[in-house]
Amino acid sequence: MSVAIDFTLARDAFGRLLLTDAAGSVVVVPVRAFPLGAPDECLSLVGTEDGRERAWLARLDVLPSEARALVEEDLAGREFMPEIQRLLAVSTYATPSTWEVETDRGPARLVLKSEDDLRRLPDNGLLVLSGEGLHFRIRDRFALDRASRRMLDRFL
């Protein structure tokens, strides 16, 4: 199914995403409706000045390749979420607890303030909110090594 796109996307002189349509040009930011469950579906381009939605995309692949690359680049810069690959140590099994973890971005240390900062995701994933407000993702908790699963099970 082909969807008509009645706007163009480009970068302005400041590197911001600029949407141009019949009404003119406006700086926008892409916002995913379901960033973890369906990251390539239901995407909104929101104006930065007034917060109004300027365009709705049912799927990211309806955009031409150049525009899609611009949107993906913008999303990658805003949605920094390291993926925990291994738990190396936890300070205590009560909260607050300091975790030393190995992520896809390197080693990290985070503070888990309460068990509520661990959220279950579909497909056995977990979202971990650190005390500093940074989210870490565990794609599949059952795919972790045995020692990591044992430490993690104490908090679930």
Side-chain angles (χ1 to χ4, degrees):
M1 185 168 94
S2 175
V3 177
I5 303 295
D6 57 352
F7 61 86
T8 60
L9 292 172
R11 293 253 179 243
D12 69 3
F14 299 103
R16 301 175 301 184
L17 197 58
L18 191 65
L19 180 143
T20 303
D21 60 8
S25 296
V26 64
V27 175
V28 295
V29 293
V31 178
R32 296 182 205 258
F34 309 105
L36 298 173
D40 292 334
E41 297 175 13
C42 303
L43 199 99
S44 179
L45 299 176
V46 177
T48 58
E49 288 188 19
D50 56 7
R52 290 183 46 211
E53 181 178 283
R54 301 301 176 152
W56 173 259
L57 304 168
R59 296 195 47 85
L60 189 56
D61 58 6
V62 300
L63 288 174
S65 60
E66 302 85 27
R68 186 174 51 236
L70 289 172
V71 170
E72 287 173 341
E73 186 180 297
D74 223 58
L75 288 167
R78 290 184 344 126
E79 296 177 345
F80 175 73
M81 187 181 306
E83 187 173 320
I84 294 175
Q85 297 173 327
R86 204 168 137 216
L87 275 73
L88 303 173
V90 294
S91 64
T92 176
Y93 291 109
T95 55
S97 175
T98 303
W99 292 15
E100 290 184 34
V101 297
E102 185 176 300
T103 72
D104 60 341
R105 308 290 173 109
R109 181 181 226 173
L110 64 101
V111 175
L112 187 72
K113 292 195 303 189
S114 79
E115 286 87 4
D116 294 337
D117 293 338
L118 280 173
R119 274 204 235 152
R120 295 176 194 261
L121 299 174
D123 300 330
N124 302 318
L126 290 172
L127 192 62
V128 182
L129 175 64
S130 73
E132 297 81 24
L134 184 63
H135 283 97
F136 291 79
R137 182 176 185 172
I138 297 175
R139 193 163 298 277
D140 182 359
R141 66 184 168 119
F142 297 115
L144 294 173
D145 64 280
R146 185 179 182 153
S148 298
R149 283 194 319 260
R150 193 173 328 134
M151 284 187 262
L152 189 59
D153 285 345
R154 296 272 191 110
F155 293 94
L156 297 174

